[in-house]
Amino acid sequence: MDIVDTPESWEVVASRTPFEGAKTAVRSDQVRMPDSSVVRRDYQAHPGSVCVLALDEEQRVLVLNQFRHPVRHRLWELPAGLLDVPGENPLRAARRELYEEAHVKAEDWRVLVDFFASPGGSDEAIRVFLARDLSEAEGARYEVSEEEADMQLARVPLEELVRGVLAGELGNPGLVTGVLALSAALAAGGPDTLRPADAPWPARPYEA
């Protein structure tokens, strides 16, 4: 038995969008079950996201502290952003987010991990990149606004972030998944064993 996620689609008898926001929407589908019954499934329709685990030569991770209104918390997070354009290359989006949120560029990029944020209630797919060989970006800093205007930046040792995740002190899903995935990768052969930055992403197919 192969322990591999596989794509599958059940018949959608009817679908409507009762709410549509600026970036995401709520979709309500009538789905036929294996016993032929039809049930309603409501979920967030999301364009997808990218995160960047930027690791410097001292094994520190670049993290951001940002207020998140839905959970009423300030969370430590990785630089991240939405895939605003359908079919957008996720690496291009990741480079943009690292520049805009941290004014940093990286020369070495790998795919660290892909995951679904909350598959029982959202179709959001997230790709986390590992970025290394960091340096300050050229040009003027990106002008931030709204929650990002209050954002703080720090470089934190990877082992300290792993400890914080396991202690229940850090809860952002991109950060939790990213730092644990990197810790596992380092224990199993190192970053060079990771997928290339342009690896296929079936959950969000993209243009080269």
Side-chain angles (χ1 to χ4, degrees):
M1 181 178 181
D2 291 333
I3 308 301
V4 178
D5 294 340
T6 55
E8 184 170 316
S9 183
W10 293 358
E11 180 187 2
V12 176
V13 177
S15 182
R16 65 188 185 93
T17 305
F19 170 79
E20 189 158 0
K23 299 293 184 181
T24 67
V26 172
R27 190 160 295 144
S28 184
D29 291 347
Q30 297 289 331
V31 184
R32 192 176 303 282
M33 298 288 109
D35 64 1
S36 296
S37 63
V38 175
V39 301
R40 191 178 84 185
R41 292 290 178 262
D42 302 324
Y43 60 97
Q44 180 193 32
H46 194 285
S49 307
V50 291
C51 298
V52 183
L53 195 158
L55 186 71
D56 69 15
E57 66 282 353
E58 298 178 42
Q59 298 294 290
R60 298 177 303 173
V61 178
L62 195 158
V63 290
L64 316 168
N65 186 255
Q66 188 170 346
F67 174 68
R68 293 300 188 182
H69 175 73
V71 296
R72 308 303 200 272
H73 270 70
R74 293 189 68 96
L75 300 179
W76 285 100
E77 306 178 350
L78 302 177
L82 299 176
L83 293 169
D84 296 307
V85 181
E88 181 178 18
N89 187 301
L91 177 58
R92 189 175 302 125
R95 291 183 186 275
R96 180 183 67 238
E97 294 303 329
L98 185 60
Y99 164 74
E100 291 182 357
E101 295 193 344
H103 200 66
V104 166
K105 65 179 182 178
E107 299 302 322
D108 186 89
W109 291 82
R110 313 270 173 156
V111 173
L112 181 55
V113 65
D114 298 328
F115 69 100
F116 293 107
S118 181
S122 171
D123 68 353
E124 181 182 7
I126 298 178
R127 168 160 281 188
V128 183
F129 288 93
L130 172 64
R132 295 182 298 167
D133 194 4
L134 309 180
S135 61
E136 189 82 1
E138 295 92 358
R141 285 186 171 270
Y142 182 78
E143 188 172 338
V144 296
S145 61
E146 300 175 359
E147 291 94 341
E148 292 183 353
D150 191 42
M151 199 161 55
Q152 302 170 36
L153 280 75
R155 295 195 183 201
V156 181
L158 175 64
E159 61 206 33
E160 184 177 330
L161 294 176
V162 171
R163 184 209 59 79
V165 168
L166 298 179
E169 299 169 356
L170 300 168
N172 174 271
L175 183 142
V176 169
T177 304
V179 300
L180 294 183
L182 179 57
S183 181
L186 291 173
D192 290 342
T193 65
L194 295 171
R195 289 172 289 164
D198 59 354
W201 191 13
R204 290 293 184 274
Y206 61 89
E207 300 171 1

